[in-house]
Amino acid sequence: MNPTGPRKARRLAAAVAITAAALTPTTQTAHADGRPAGVLLACAGTVAASYAPGLTYAPKATSVTSRAVVGCPLSTDNRFASAAFGGDSAGALSCLLGPASGTLTFHWGGNKGEGKSSPRHGDHNDHGDTTSTASIRSLAAVRPNGNIVTVSTGTITDGVFKGAAVVTEVTLLASQQAACLTPEGLTSASGPTTVTITRV
């Protein structure tokens, strides 16, 4: 009897199993509540912004203050089912486009208290912290059907979801752009907004 036969067979079987596992395609699953894998929150609502000085079609240094309210219908934690957020940014802006950078502060679920520590990627702490601070930068402004859509991206630097990526999208409706032709420019605007927070 050749004792090396069974050993060779076992090694061959192990090699086949490892190869099969390596070649098996992996799929990205969704959360049970319907969110794509990796998405922590997906929210939508309305935003109001003010511009100083008012926006015209000529780019110039401009400060922007924004305030928004959104709902997050797929949240499984009622502390994160809605948010009020806002912030300040600045850049060389016009009514058409322009890069800007700044910060946003999110007050989730209407609770504006400050927590003592910052959980990572959606792990909540024991202090009731439902505030997040994000550093953002404008990515693009496009104009489908006359509307101006500005997309900004950034990272949550403090609070709940610290380290996660955040993307906001704001739409300035075409009907509001007539003010861009006036000497004062467009000093305020409102429209729909979305917020998506994902794991990095």
Side-chain angles (χ1 to χ4, degrees):
M1 179 176 178
N2 184 0
T4 62
R7 287 199 297 271
K8 288 183 178 180
R10 286 194 295 270
R11 287 197 296 268
L12 179 59
V16 170
I18 292 171
T19 302
L23 294 177
T24 300
T26 59
T27 58
Q28 190 177 45
T29 59
H31 294 276
D33 57 17
R35 289 173 294 152
V39 174
L40 299 173
L41 284 177
C43 314
T46 57
V47 62
S50 60
Y51 308 95
L55 296 176
T56 64
Y57 289 112
K60 58 182 177 292
T62 306
S63 297
V64 184
T65 299
S66 62
R67 298 290 181 266
V69 177
V70 294
C72 311
L74 296 182
S75 174
T76 57
D77 187 329
N78 60 13
R79 290 178 297 173
F80 306 98
S82 63
F85 71 92
D88 300 299
S89 59
L93 308 178
S94 73
C95 279
L96 293 177
L97 49 83
S101 58
T103 59
L104 289 175
T105 300
F106 296 84
H107 300 289
W108 301 104
N111 180 354
K112 298 186 179 182
E114 295 293 332
K116 299 296 184 181
S117 61
S118 302
R120 294 183 304 168
H121 298 312
D123 294 329
H124 315 315
N125 60 38
D126 296 329
H127 302 284
D129 183 3
T130 51
T131 301
S132 304
T133 300
S135 175
I136 64 164
R137 182 170 177 79
S138 171
L139 273 183
V142 296
R143 301 172 295 283
N145 302 319
N147 296 335
I148 298 175
V149 180
T150 301
V151 180
S152 298
T153 186
T155 302
I156 294 180
T157 57
D158 193 27
V160 183
F161 309 119
K162 182 177 181 180
V166 59
V167 176
T168 67
E169 182 177 294
V170 176
T171 301
L172 172 61
L173 302 179
S175 59
Q176 301 173 328
Q177 296 174 36
C180 298
L181 297 171
T182 66
E184 296 80 11
L186 180 70
T187 58
S188 63
S190 60
T193 185
T194 62
V195 178
T196 305
I197 296 178
T198 60
R199 295 182 179 89
V200 175

